[in-house]
Amino acid sequence: MSETVLRIRDLHTQFALDDGVVKAVNGVDLDISRGETLAVVGESGCGKSVMARSVLRLVDRPGRITGGEIWVRHPEGPGKTPEGAPGGMVDLVTADKRTVRSVRGKRIAMVFQEPMTSMSPMHTLGNQIGEAIRLHEKVSKAEARRRTIDLLGRVDIPDPKRRVDEYPFQMSGGMLQRAMIAMALSCNPELLIADEPTTALDVTTQARILELLRSVQEEFGMAVMLITHDLGVAAQMADRIAVMYLGSVVERGDVVSVFRSPRHPYTKALLRSIPKLGSGARERLRPVRGMVPHTYRRPPGCPFHPRCDEFLAGRCDTTEPLPVRGPEPDREVRCLRYEERPEEAAATAGTPQARDPRRHEEEGA
Ligand SMILES: Nc1ncnc2c1ncn2[C@@H]1O[C@H](COP(=O)(O)OP(=O)(O)OP(=O)(O)O)[C@@H](O)[C@H]1O
Ligand SMILES: [Mg+2]
């Protein structure tokens, strides 16, 4: 059986602001196994970055994790392990600060959406990456510098011996992104979370960075959570995919089966919005109809119902859907249309999510 490196259960992260509460992450369940790539996709504002930052306990104030579990592997795991997971895991939601810090950067590293949030403009690459190495390992400055040069070379930064003494502003976007990946790899993490690692780059550089990610993943044998709004990137890179909408995962499964037979109307709409070869270059894409609702006004029932092409009046606007498993292994969808099919509803009857009474609480408009 493949080894779980991250298991998220019913995660809730909220921002309590003066005008109301933003439920940025609202009941996310996710698993990532050793060595695999999970793509997390969804429109802007659906909670991808907040979910990723929650994993490392790096949510900006006034954001707060208000519920759920984030299990990661840890040698000092207290022995209390999630159902069905291997031993030696800790829950980062309840872990102490020391444990969280020992996971961050060491077991789980992150490449952020905005490069400059993790790079300091005041320090050279060598100092920053060297510092990251020395934070987790007792090595001399000279050894850290040697390792930094080696890492810069591994991410295909030309002339690493010179570049190691450069500042971030001296580098192009693509080179900086490589340096960020080098920094993330510096402690040989078992999970790399890459939040839109290529969005700001031109297409050629984007392709090179993705290629690089794939090759370092093979070399280092790590798992990758790749956050992207680009379904093409997800198809090219991922083993499995999780589609997020308004803070929850509405559909997940292996990439081939989700792309071949999407079940959630939101997944179907997203797939229709990607360009197809040969469909005529001038043909307009069909974006998902309607807008993501205002953050304070989460629709009651299924949060996607105001935009849904398969909306059932009197049902989708009143009842929050539960996850439904199947038909392929590892597939799950949150849509009332599938809950109505008894054979599939039965398949979820034993899951903790299905039993959780909170799932039926109405959020109110
Ligand atoms: N610091 C913050 N303060 C208040 N609200 C926030 C903060 N950060 C995020 N949010 C809100 O949380 C929700 C989820 O945001 P998040 O950044 O996770 O979206 P995303 O899926 O990463 O979008 P994008 O594709 O644009 O990066 C949004 O409604 C956003 O406005
Ligand atoms: Mg984001």
Side-chain angles (χ1 to χ4, degrees):
M1 206 188 81
S2 57
E3 193 175 356
T4 304
V5 293
L6 174 69
R7 170 164 296 191
I8 302 178
R9 285 295 175 270
D10 202 24
L11 182 66
H12 288 74
T13 304
Q14 305 184 342
F15 293 88
L17 305 177
D18 291 343
D19 301 332
V21 175
V22 177
K23 296 179 175 176
V25 177
N26 199 51
V28 162
D29 296 318
L30 276 183
D31 291 89
I32 302 186
S33 302
R34 179 177 288 282
E36 79 169 347
T37 300
L38 172 78
V40 177
V41 302
E43 286 164 296
S44 188
C46 68
K48 304 181 295 293
S49 296
V50 174
M51 184 271 291
R53 298 182 75 104
S54 300
V55 170
L56 290 178
R57 305 292 311 271
L58 289 175
V59 181
D60 294 329
R61 284 193 187 175
R64 211 167 62 81
I65 296 179
T66 56
E69 298 164 8
I70 300 169
W71 292 94
V72 299
R73 281 167 18 87
H74 196 277
E76 291 166 28
K80 177 183 171 262
T81 54
E83 209 181 320
M89 296 186 95
V90 289
D91 175 12
L92 291 182
V93 175
T94 51
D96 56 32
K97 281 193 177 137
R98 193 180 61 88
T99 307
V100 172
R101 273 199 295 266
S102 70
V103 168
R104 199 187 285 157
K106 175 75 188 142
R107 292 182 167 271
I108 304 182
M110 184 157 170
V111 176
F112 291 91
Q113 193 162 1
E114 310 84 21
M116 291 317 289
T117 53
S118 55
M119 283 271 176
S120 155
M122 311 292 286
H123 298 94
T124 62
L125 291 189
N127 284 340
Q128 299 190 49
I129 300 176
E131 200 54 35
I133 294 172
R134 280 160 55 83
L135 199 63
H136 294 285
E137 284 177 67
K138 285 197 172 60
V139 294
S140 68
K141 279 195 173 165
E143 168 65 8
R145 182 183 169 85
R146 198 192 58 71
R147 295 246 303 256
T148 302
I149 293 170
D150 177 54
L151 276 166
L152 294 178
R154 300 251 287 268
V155 297
D156 291 335
I157 291 184
D159 199 3
K161 282 194 178 127
R162 184 173 61 82
R163 293 280 181 157
V164 70
D165 293 319
E166 284 191 352
Y167 290 86
F169 68 82
Q170 293 174 284
M171 312 189 79
S172 69
M175 283 301 146
L176 197 57
Q177 198 60 287
R178 283 169 197 270
M180 297 243 305
I181 294 171
M183 184 145 99
L185 295 175
S186 63
C187 289
N188 207 353
E190 57 189 17
L191 171 64
L192 176 71
I193 301 179
D195 190 356
E196 304 274 9
T198 58
T199 312
L201 306 174
D202 63 80
V203 184
T204 323
T205 314
Q206 169 173 337
R208 289 217 195 95
I209 295 284
L210 292 176
E211 208 178 284
L212 168 72
L213 263 183
R214 216 205 304 252
S215 76
V216 292
Q217 177 178 26
E218 260 168 42
E219 188 188 347
F220 289 71
M222 61 188 180
V224 174
M225 182 196 287
L226 180 67
I227 297 175
T228 176
H229 62 263
D230 188 331
L231 286 167
V233 168
Q236 182 194 342
M237 298 287 290
D239 303 301
R240 291 191 305 123
I241 186 166
V243 181
M244 279 186 75
Y245 188 73
L246 283 190
S248 22
V249 175
V250 296
E251 179 155 18
R252 60 188 165 120
D254 77 276
V255 157
V256 176
S257 82
V258 171
F259 275 69
R260 193 170 285 161
S261 53
R263 307 187 90 206
H264 199 285
Y266 181 54
T267 316
K268 293 180 197 169
L270 281 179
L271 284 169
R272 277 198 301 268
S273 74
I274 47 178
K276 287 190 188 62
L277 270 181
S279 63
R282 295 273 166 257
E283 191 185 320
R284 278 180 71 87
L285 292 175
R286 287 174 58 190
V288 183
R289 176 168 69 83
M291 304 265 283
V292 177
H294 188 279
T295 41
Y296 299 136
R297 270 177 248 115
R298 195 184 159 81
C302 170
F304 186 61
H305 85 259
R307 305 172 72 190
C308 184
D309 290 336
E310 300 174 41
F311 166 65
L312 303 166
R315 185 159 162 75
C316 299
D317 46 358
T318 57
T319 313
E320 198 170 333
L322 297 171
V324 178
R325 296 252 175 97
E328 299 91 345
D330 204 34
R331 277 295 287 278
E332 196 173 276
V333 64
R334 272 177 201 248
C335 173
L336 291 160
R337 288 210 163 253
Y338 300 97
E339 268 183 42
E340 285 180 331
R341 298 180 192 172
E343 74 280 11
E344 283 157 6
T348 65
T351 65
Q353 293 94 323
R355 287 195 305 270
D356 190 342
R358 281 171 299 179
R359 297 293 159 150
H360 286 293
E361 258 174 33
E362 281 311 329
E363 307 259 14

